[in-house]
Amino acid sequence: MGLLDIFKKTANTVASVVKPLSPFATIIESAYQEVYGTAHPAWNWKATDSKVYQQQILTLNDKEKIAFILEAITTQHTLAEGKMTWGSHDKDWNIRNLWGNFMNHLLKTKLEMNDEDYVLVLESFMRYKPYGHSDDVMQWPATIVVGKIEKYLHDRKPSADLITALNRLEKKVDTGHYYDQKARAKLVERIKAIVFAGENDADTIRPVLFPAKDQFATYANDALQRMPQAQQPYWYQLMAHTQKASGGSPTKKFLDQGKDLFKELGADNFKQVVNDWLQFITAMKEIEINTYTIEFIATANTDMVKGLIWLCSHFHDKTTLFNLAALAERSYRKVPGKGPLAPSIGNACVYALANSKGLDGVGHLSRLRLRIKQNSTQNLIEKYLLTAAAKQGVSIHEIEDMAVDDFDLTDGSRTYMFDDYKAVLSIIGIGKTELSWYKPDGSPQKSVPAVVKEKHAARLKKIKDTIKQIELTTSAQRDRIDRLMKSERTLSWQQFNEYYFEHGLMCYIAKQLIWTFIDGEEKYHAIWLNNAWTNPAGTLNFSPDDDIRVALWHPVFHTLESIQQWRTFLLDKQLTQPLKQAFREVYLLTDAEVNTVTYSNRMAAHILKQHQFNSLAKTRGWKYNLMGAYDNGIDNDKASIHLQEYDLRAEFWINEVNSDDAFNDTGIWLYVATDQVRFVRLDNNEVVQLLDVPALLFSEVMRDVDLFVGVASVGNDPLWRDNGGLTQYRDYWNSYSFGDLTEIAKTRKMMLERLLPRLKINKVAAIKDKFLVVQGKLRTYKIHLGSTNILMEPNDQYLCIVPDRSAKPATENLMLGFEGDNGLSVVLSKAFLLADDDKITDTTITSQINRR
């Protein structure tokens, strides 16, 4: 009687003794002495490291090896069922490890097995528990065995017994524990494929759906099952193909095979369905499963979704690229305490955008770089942008210029004809458009004509999609140009014309900015007004030609008198710039900074909310890693920005505020303290003297840092003091809340001085030093122009008012000369409210006002 026969005879009875009485037990005992019997036992050994294994196990014939595998299963079960402690290092535990390691390695070797052998192994996996506390079949090397069965059945049909065993295994795997759902779902699909192939002809296509039952799978699987029967086989093949998607990027073979498949289906059919799915996922809301788990796309479905997204790299139409960009932004969005929602899907979208034909995908990447805040993703996008630039033989700035879509606009507008009706799409602001309708006789029509809705619904939807894209693009390009204010880049006249002045979309921004035209030794500074280049002195009489270079005008290079002239000119002409240019704050070296030589302490000793600071820094292109209570901050004690064209890196040093357990549930410090700003060479990390830092660069970096402090300082939070804050930093809160004005606050004060005479509160409000003082009916209020916090006279009692973020900005209809100053809006909102303090009904405010 052979060893296999002995095992078959006794397989239904699990041995009750710790050491099985079989020929293999002695071998295992010898291996135990070899591996664990020394004074310093190995802890990371492999089966092939054991001479006993090599000499006494690998030399067995195939039937004996199968018998060993079967006995290894029952023995591990027996030991696990005993009193063995999980993770202990007693002999029983180590013996079990030996059986398991030798068994796993044998299953990976070339081993002749038949249907009956595979049935025995699978049935043993399902009958016996791998650990005393768990009957999860995935704890056995089931995946390895299924892989061997796939190869074994490559040119043969399985027996009925093997199909039965595989069906049982599939149910066991599918109904197992919640963890490792991705591997579990993949194994289920592989088993289903084996069984299907065994029960059907070779040319029969197996239905393949998304395996995990999440929101998206429910929607997409229903769509697949409702498709015309003629299309279903192609989709099932595509779905099976996407199951092979793995890793961070696709292989050429994967992309080519996928392209062949969707070409058979029809590229338009494929695009239509996949774009619908991309939009569905983007609109999906995440579901909180428990405290630690958020479900968006189930991990079991993630690779298949990635595969479909990768195949979209074959397309470059506006709809697909827009949907990919929208899904990327959604996927990278952070869930508090959990991190990015679906980074692998986001990475797949970024790959597809980067590898699509043409430059439209690059344009979306340029926008995403401003929107996505994870360092790793920003680095990935930058790598793709650099690659695209290298292919074109241009700089990253130029590739971003080239990639801006004009959406077939002319001078910021576009006309659409619908039979005799006309629609005119116009850019009316950053992130704002207007679609105007005209009747056949040319007169305006307030709403979309009924005939257009009925006959041209699909085209109308495309226009609405275009509107969304234009609004996103204008916002992104405004932010990109604002970042370009750090650069001393110049353009040729041809580049300026093509990418800015005559560009259908960019012209809207470019014509509202001041430009410097360099003609040899001469420089002209002008803005486009009334179809001519104009400056505060009047129309310029110069003829731009190919020899002229063009640069963004920056106030750091100009006198206070010149800057003031431009500001007055813009306000008098009622021109609103899309970003702060003429009204931009300028930061020049102080005597203190000259004396410290290599660093600036101008923005030191502030207390910032770390998460708010992190978010703002990423928005401005800085890299920063949140500091946690679990580390000492050595590797992430600074925010930095790489400035390649200057070969410099600016650093803003940060320290954690380790006080009163001031960290959140994930161990991240709530507050950080600011320190010095310095500049370092990229090539050798040499610290640079501040006098050697270009004036424009120094000013822009310090402006960023001032912005970080101005927005993220706890001194701006009206609730911080009353909600506890950090008691030892109360003095800082008071000094910042009502202290000296920053450069940004000084600009705000200057704007208020111009605005106040035109406001309805001008008779009861006045600017005094660093406050806007408002005389209410009940009390007099001093609103700080920096922090926007409020003191009440006569005793400087603090008044806490939390701004309503959903309300329209108080500055919405005011001419400021530039777009966007939330702080100014908050100051004015509070001023209007307090001017009529006798009409306030909010008890949280009136109770403070009436308290004396």
Side-chain angles (χ1 to χ4, degrees):
M1 181 181 291
L3 289 170
L4 185 58
D5 296 321
I6 294 172
F7 176 81
K8 289 179 182 178
K9 186 176 180 180
T10 60
N12 291 327
T13 304
V14 178
S16 60
V17 292
V18 173
K19 183 186 293 183
L21 299 176
S22 77
F24 300 128
T26 304
I27 298 175
I28 293 296
E29 183 66 32
S30 298
Y32 175 80
Q33 294 302 324
E34 176 191 20
V35 176
Y36 296 105
T38 63
H40 302 285
W43 60 272
N44 60 345
W45 62 276
K46 296 180 292 187
T48 51
D49 294 334
S50 167
K51 291 182 180 179
V52 172
Y53 176 75
Q54 291 180 335
Q55 295 171 4
Q56 298 187 53
I57 301 295
L58 284 181
T59 56
L60 296 172
N61 63 44
D62 286 345
K63 287 302 179 184
E64 289 170 336
K65 289 177 181 176
I66 295 165
F68 178 90
I69 291 167
L70 294 169
E71 187 168 321
I73 297 169
T74 58
T75 304
Q76 289 178 82
H77 169 87
T78 300
L79 291 170
E81 285 284 278
K83 296 180 179 179
M84 183 178 64
T85 304
W86 174 265
S88 67
H89 295 284
D90 57 20
K91 184 173 181 179
D92 282 353
W93 179 261
N94 293 331
I95 288 288
R96 187 197 177 284
N97 280 346
L98 284 164
W99 280 105
N101 275 283
F102 290 174
M103 174 187 73
N104 287 358
H105 192 268
L106 275 180
L107 286 169
K108 293 176 183 177
T109 63
K110 186 176 181 180
L111 190 61
E112 292 293 331
M113 297 174 68
N114 58 28
D115 288 49
E116 184 182 9
D117 297 329
Y118 283 120
V119 169
L120 278 170
V121 172
L122 294 180
E123 290 293 343
S124 296
F125 284 167
M126 291 183 281
R127 181 182 302 142
Y128 301 122
K129 294 181 179 181
Y131 295 100
H133 69 287
S134 171
D135 63 351
D136 183 10
V137 72
M138 290 290 283
Q139 296 288 345
W140 294 115
T143 302
I144 298 174
V145 174
V146 169
K148 293 183 76 69
I149 293 173
E150 286 173 327
K151 292 179 181 178
Y152 168 71
L153 296 176
H154 177 68
D155 56 356
R156 57 168 63 88
K157 291 285 186 181
S159 66
D161 288 343
L162 182 52
I163 286 179
T164 300
L166 285 166
N167 280 327
R168 288 190 60 224
L169 178 67
E170 184 244 303
K171 289 183 176 62
K172 270 274 197 183
V173 173
D174 194 32
T175 57
H177 293 281
Y178 66 88
Y179 58 82
D180 206 7
Q181 286 296 317
K182 183 175 177 179
R184 198 178 297 278
K186 284 196 170 188
L187 185 57
V188 165
E189 286 300 306
R190 290 171 66 186
I191 296 169
K192 284 181 177 179
I194 294 171
V195 172
F196 186 87
E199 294 179 337
N200 293 275
D201 296 333
D203 57 352
T204 305
I205 305 298
R206 181 176 72 92
V208 179
L209 304 173
F210 290 99
K213 301 173 181 65
D214 59 19
Q215 305 170 76
F216 169 65
T218 301
Y219 178 80
N221 288 344
D222 180 63
L224 286 168
Q225 291 168 327
R226 287 188 291 103
M227 282 180 181
Q229 285 190 341
Q231 292 184 17
Q232 284 183 338
Y234 298 108
W235 271 106
Y236 292 148
Q237 290 179 79
L238 273 164
M239 297 296 288
H241 181 65
T242 61
Q243 289 178 336
K244 303 171 187 175
S246 62
S249 59
T251 62
K252 185 177 183 301
K253 180 180 178 182
F254 177 89
L255 294 175
D256 289 345
Q257 289 179 346
K259 184 176 183 180
D260 290 340
L261 287 170
F262 71 63
K263 282 174 70 176
E264 292 185 47
L265 170 69
D268 288 341
N269 288 333
F270 175 79
K271 272 197 296 188
Q272 182 179 356
V273 172
V274 172
N275 271 298
D276 177 61
W277 289 353
L278 295 177
Q279 290 175 333
F280 182 87
I281 298 172
T282 303
M284 264 172 39
K285 292 184 178 180
E286 62 269 23
I287 298 173
E288 185 171 354
I289 304 298
N290 53 48
T291 306
Y292 307 101
T293 309
I294 292 289
E295 183 184 87
F296 185 57
I297 296 290
T299 54
N301 295 332
T302 298
D303 278 353
M304 295 177 72
V305 173
K306 275 169 47 180
L308 290 168
I309 291 171
W310 284 341
L311 293 181
C312 289
S313 63
H314 289 295
F315 307 115
H316 59 279
D317 60 286
K318 286 181 171 58
T319 299
T320 302
L321 297 180
F322 176 75
N323 288 333
L324 287 170
L327 179 55
E329 190 170 346
R330 175 78 174 108
S331 300
Y332 289 124
R333 190 178 304 165
K334 280 194 172 184
V335 178
K338 306 291 190 307
L341 195 59
S344 61
I345 290 178
N347 289 346
C349 292
V350 168
Y351 173 88
L353 290 169
N355 289 277
S356 61
K357 184 179 177 182
L359 292 176
D360 287 350
V362 173
H364 284 288
L365 290 180
S366 176
R367 181 182 69 82
L368 289 172
R369 187 166 66 145
L370 301 174
R371 298 281 300 167
I372 295 168
K373 298 181 174 61
Q374 289 86 355
N375 286 340
S376 59
T377 306
Q378 287 186 340
N379 291 338
L380 178 65
I381 292 174
E382 189 164 350
K383 183 188 80 171
Y384 283 133
L385 290 175
L386 287 169
T387 301
K391 284 182 180 177
Q392 298 288 330
V394 297
S395 71
I396 196 168
H397 289 319
E398 289 173 295
I399 198 72
E400 288 184 304
D401 283 344
M402 294 163 64
V404 183
D405 194 340
D406 64 6
F407 298 97
D408 294 325
L409 299 167
T410 300
D411 202 16
S413 68
R414 179 178 174 181
T415 299
Y416 300 88
M417 296 303 300
F418 294 85
D419 299 330
D420 294 329
Y421 286 90
K422 180 171 71 173
V424 178
L425 170 60
S426 303
I427 302 174
I428 60 171
I430 299 300
K432 298 177 184 178
T433 58
E434 182 177 76
L435 188 63
S436 304
W437 290 92
Y438 297 90
K439 298 175 184 178
D441 62 4
S443 60
Q445 175 153 324
K446 290 184 179 180
S447 59
V448 182
V451 66
V452 173
K453 290 181 180 179
E454 293 171 5
K455 291 178 58 178
H456 305 283
R459 189 175 175 213
L460 189 60
K461 183 181 182 303
K462 282 189 176 182
I463 293 174
K464 290 179 179 179
D465 289 341
T466 299
I467 288 172
K468 289 180 186 177
Q469 295 176 47
I470 290 173
E471 290 175 348
L472 285 172
T473 303
T474 53
S475 295
Q477 292 306 313
R478 183 268 315 276
D479 294 343
R480 182 174 75 91
I481 293 177
D482 192 68
R483 281 195 187 186
L484 284 175
M485 293 292 283
K486 286 188 180 73
S487 170
E488 296 187 36
R489 177 191 181 206
T490 64
L491 303 166
S492 69
W493 179 253
Q494 180 182 354
Q495 288 173 318
F496 174 69
N497 256 338
E498 182 177 356
Y499 302 132
Y500 291 91
F501 187 66
E502 293 182 356
H503 188 278
L505 180 142
M506 291 300 294
C507 66
Y508 178 83
I509 300 174
K511 290 179 179 180
Q512 299 178 73
L513 296 176
I514 306 168
W515 297 90
T516 295
F517 301 94
I518 306 164
D519 186 4
E521 297 297 319
E522 296 292 327
K523 288 186 179 180
Y524 307 92
H525 312 292
I527 193 170
W528 187 253
L529 181 65
N530 298 327
N531 296 316
W533 289 108
T534 306
N535 67 16
T539 302
L540 285 184
N541 294 315
F542 79 100
S543 301
D545 57 39
D546 291 344
D547 294 330
I548 281 183
R549 305 292 297 177
V550 185
L552 279 166
W553 179 92
H554 197 291
V556 77
F557 299 121
H558 299 274
T559 64
L560 288 174
E561 181 184 7
S562 175
I563 295 169
Q564 191 57 48
Q565 287 175 349
W566 272 112
R567 291 177 176 180
T568 302
F569 175 78
L570 292 176
L571 292 172
D572 289 346
K573 299 294 184 181
Q574 294 195 329
L575 300 176
T576 298
Q577 292 192 291
L579 52 94
K580 271 190 177 182
Q581 188 186 29
F583 292 89
R584 203 171 192 83
E585 299 79 19
V586 174
Y587 300 76
L588 303 176
L589 273 178
T590 63
D591 291 341
E593 287 161 340
V594 173
N595 291 334
T596 56
V597 183
T598 59
Y599 62 90
S600 167
N601 275 332
R602 195 188 307 196
M603 304 299 177
H606 290 279
I607 309 300
L608 311 184
K609 293 181 177 180
Q610 184 177 200
H611 288 85
Q612 192 173 15
F613 163 63
N614 175 59
S615 179
L616 188 59
K618 300 292 178 61
T619 300
R620 299 293 299 170
W622 291 64
K623 299 187 187 304
Y624 178 70
N625 294 317
L626 289 167
M627 301 174 71
Y630 43 78
D631 61 31
N632 59 9
I634 290 175
D635 295 327
N636 55 339
D637 59 348
K638 59 180 73 72
S640 64
I641 183 169
H642 284 221
L643 306 148
Q644 296 287 349
E645 66 185 275
Y646 298 98
D647 188 33
L648 292 174
R649 179 178 70 250
E651 297 179 346
F652 183 28
W653 288 27
I654 301 294
N655 302 298
E656 78 274 11
V657 176
N658 184 351
S659 175
D660 300 333
D661 293 331
F663 50 82
N664 65 14
D665 293 340
T666 59
I668 301 297
W669 295 113
L670 298 177
Y671 308 106
V672 291
T674 66
D675 205 329
Q676 62 185 240
V677 174
R678 61 171 60 196
F679 294 80
V680 180
R681 297 228 174 264
L682 289 176
D683 54 355
N684 58 14
N685 287 325
E686 176 188 348
V687 179
V688 178
Q689 293 189 20
L690 297 183
L691 284 170
D692 294 331
V693 177
L696 180 147
L697 179 61
F698 179 82
S699 181
E700 284 297 305
V701 166
M702 296 304 292
R703 182 176 183 270
D704 276 356
V705 175
D706 194 6
L707 181 67
F708 301 156
V709 172
V711 174
S713 171
V714 298
N716 291 323
D717 183 355
L719 294 174
W720 192 78
R721 186 182 74 167
D722 293 339
N723 282 352
L726 299 172
T727 52
Q728 61 270 52
Y729 293 105
R730 294 285 178 84
D731 288 344
Y732 166 76
W733 187 89
N734 286 320
S735 65
Y736 182 87
S737 293
F738 305 108
D740 293 338
L741 298 182
T742 64
E743 294 300 322
I744 292 173
K746 289 176 183 176
T747 301
R748 190 175 298 154
K749 179 180 179 179
M750 182 268 293
M751 292 305 304
L752 266 174
E753 288 171 340
R754 291 177 171 273
L755 285 172
L756 198 55
R758 293 185 281 148
L759 301 178
K760 67 178 183 179
I761 59 171
N762 67 79
K763 293 182 180 180
V764 296
I767 296 171
K768 295 182 181 179
D769 190 23
K770 51 199 174 188
F771 295 95
L772 175 62
V773 180
V774 179
Q775 177 63 59
K777 308 294 191 305
L778 304 176
R779 298 188 73 164
T780 299
Y781 308 91
K782 299 192 300 184
I783 307 170
H784 192 263
L785 298 176
S787 68
T788 77
N789 289 331
I790 309 166
L791 295 175
M792 295 185 287
E793 293 183 349
N795 56 351
D796 279 353
Q797 177 189 337
Y798 174 63
L799 173 61
C800 177
I801 298 179
V802 180
D804 181 3
R805 298 189 183 279
S806 63
K808 287 186 177 182
T811 57
E812 185 175 43
N813 297 317
L814 297 176
M815 177 59 61
L816 299 183
F818 57 89
E819 289 198 16
D821 182 348
N822 185 62
L824 178 58
S825 181
V826 171
V827 168
L828 289 175
S829 295
K830 290 180 177 181
F832 283 118
L833 176 72
L834 295 172
D836 293 322
D837 55 359
D838 59 331
K839 297 178 182 178
I840 298 174
T841 57
D842 188 333
T843 55
T844 62
I845 299 176
T846 57
S847 62
Q848 298 177 78
I849 293 175
N850 295 325
R851 188 187 310 139
R852 299 281 179 170

